[in-house]
């Protein structure tokens, strides 16, 4: 998995506590080591995690090592970005995107810029 700086990794074992029970909206990147677009997205996720700290939690989940969560949310393509609020997925986006576009998509959600 390509680790984005400043972005925590979650697993099947920690997903419920770290994502579903989080007090903030959570942006989850479903990623894999072999995924080229995921590498492109890493610096974008790092920047958003820093800029939105306190309003949005950003985490990554390695799909190869965490099949249970990947299957549970029907993730088929990498990267898939999914926003969770109050334990429920509220938005899903597939594919890498520039920071400006991702922020605009996140802005559609009330709690994030």
């Amino acid at each position: 998995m390509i680790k984005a700086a400043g972005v925590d990794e979650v697993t099947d074992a920690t997903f419920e506590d770290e994502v579903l029970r989080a007090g903030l909206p959570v942006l989850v990147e479903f990623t894999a080591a072999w995924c080229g677009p995921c590498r492109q997205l890493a610096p974008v996720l790092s920047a958003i995690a820093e800029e939105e700290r306190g309003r949005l939690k950003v985490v990554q989940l390695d799909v190869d090592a965490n099949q249970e969560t990947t299957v549970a949310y029907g993730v088929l393509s990498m990267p898939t970005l999914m926003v969770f609020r109050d334990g429920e997925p509220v938005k899903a986006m597939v594919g890498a995107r520039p920071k400006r576009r991702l922020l605009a998509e996140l802005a559609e959600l009330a709690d994030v810029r």
Side-chain angles (χ1 to χ4, degrees), residues 12-13 15 17 20 24 27 29-30 39 44 53 59 61 64-65 67 78-79 81 86 91 93 96 109 113:
D12 285 343
F15 192 83
D17 284 339
L20 303 183
L24 297 171
L27 173 63
E29 180 201 19
F30 291 84
R39 282 191 280 283
V44 171
R53 182 165 300 160
V59 299
L61 182 127
D64 292 326
Q67 297 276 318
M78 274 26 88
L81 299 165
D86 300 324
K91 184 169 185 72
M93 303 158 276
L109 305 170
R113 188 187 308 162

Side-chain angles (χ1 to χ4, degrees), residues 1 29 33 42 59 66 69 72 76 85 88 90 92 99 102 105:
M1 179 176 89
E29 180 201 19
V59 299
N66 298 282
T69 303
L76 301 174
R85 181 184 288 132
E88 296 295 325
V90 295
K99 180 180 162 192
L102 181 53
E105 290 170 320

Side-chain angles (χ1 to χ4, degrees), residues 68-110:
E68 184 180 315
T69 303
T70 302
V71 169
Y73 290 99
V75 174
L76 301 174
S77 300
M78 274 26 88
T80 290
L81 299 165
M82 203 170 285
V83 179
F84 288 80
R85 181 184 288 132
D86 300 324
E88 296 295 325
V90 295
K91 184 169 185 72
M93 303 158 276
V94 176
R97 58 235 313 115
K99 180 180 162 192
R100 179 179 290 168
R101 179 173 163 205
L102 181 53
L103 282 172
E105 290 170 320
L106 292 172
E108 296 169 7
L109 305 170

